[in-house]
Amino acid sequence: MSYSGITLALSKGRIFVETLPLLAAAGITPSENPESSRKLIIGTNRADVRLIIVRASDVPTYVQYGAADLGIAGKDVLNEHGGNGLYQPLDLQIARCRMMVAVREGYDYAGQVKQGARIRVATKYVNTARDHFASKGVHIDLIKLYGSMELAPLVGLSDVIVDLVSTGGTLKANDLVAVEHISDISSRLVVNQAALKLKRSLIQPVIDAFSAAVGTRVTA
Ligand code: ATP
Ligand code: MG
């Protein structure tokens, strides 16, 4: 079971695709494509580096417990997780989008807020939503969803949604409009702190290569 190399946790889809150039900059080439392979552990051209493919929202958990040494996760996911025990040295500036409040076209969000109305909020990002509305002093009823948040206001499940927006195309297609910007989102490199101490000679070069490829400095 024990693996002496380093394990990087990634989700498939946009994070995997946008991470490939960063891996290349670190001299790492996956030996299989997770989109077509059913394998969850993917080797690379380097015997001391492997990838594990997990659900985007599970990346922080694998890294927190040391089942992966490093991972790449959206700031949205990290905010929900809390980031406990995770070292976040780099903003990779991939999978960029915005966390927004959106409503059905015609819904008077500003008016409702002004009146002090209780607002029904449907979202997958319950911690983010709770913090956001608490900081505005707005009372909400939270409705936890796992996907397709755009539907909720259309069928009367909620007044607003809190969701990620990139082009706005999905909102538009469903007659929704963004009314408030909560935060800018991009993906971060997360590192298990114990692993960094024990395997620094393997992990630090990866951090440095990613950092150089992104063109930013290590921030912590
Ligand atoms: P799943 O699809 O398994 O439910 P997910 O929706 O979190 O999980 P992805 O859609 O691959 O998985 O999103 C991964 C990350 O990419 C998100 O956590 C977020 O940081 C970012 N992301 C999500 N939607 C967009 C978007 N439309 N444009 C850019 N980045 C996005
Ligand atoms: Mg998705």
Side-chain angles (χ1 to χ4, degrees), residues 14-26:
R14 59 170 63 84
I15 295 217
F16 182 83
V17 169
E18 296 188 36
T19 297
L20 278 175
L22 299 174
L23 290 172

Side-chain angles (χ1 to χ4, degrees), residues 8 10 15-29 72 90-95 187-189 205-215:
L8 173 68
L10 285 175
I15 295 217
F16 182 83
V17 169
E18 296 188 36
T19 297
L20 278 175
L22 299 174
L23 290 172
I28 300 165
T29 310
I72 296 177
L90 270 184
D91 180 349
L92 299 172
Q93 293 171 32
I94 59 171
S187 291
R188 312 297 160 108
L189 180 66
V206 174
I207 298 176
D208 293 344
F210 281 11
S211 177
V214 172

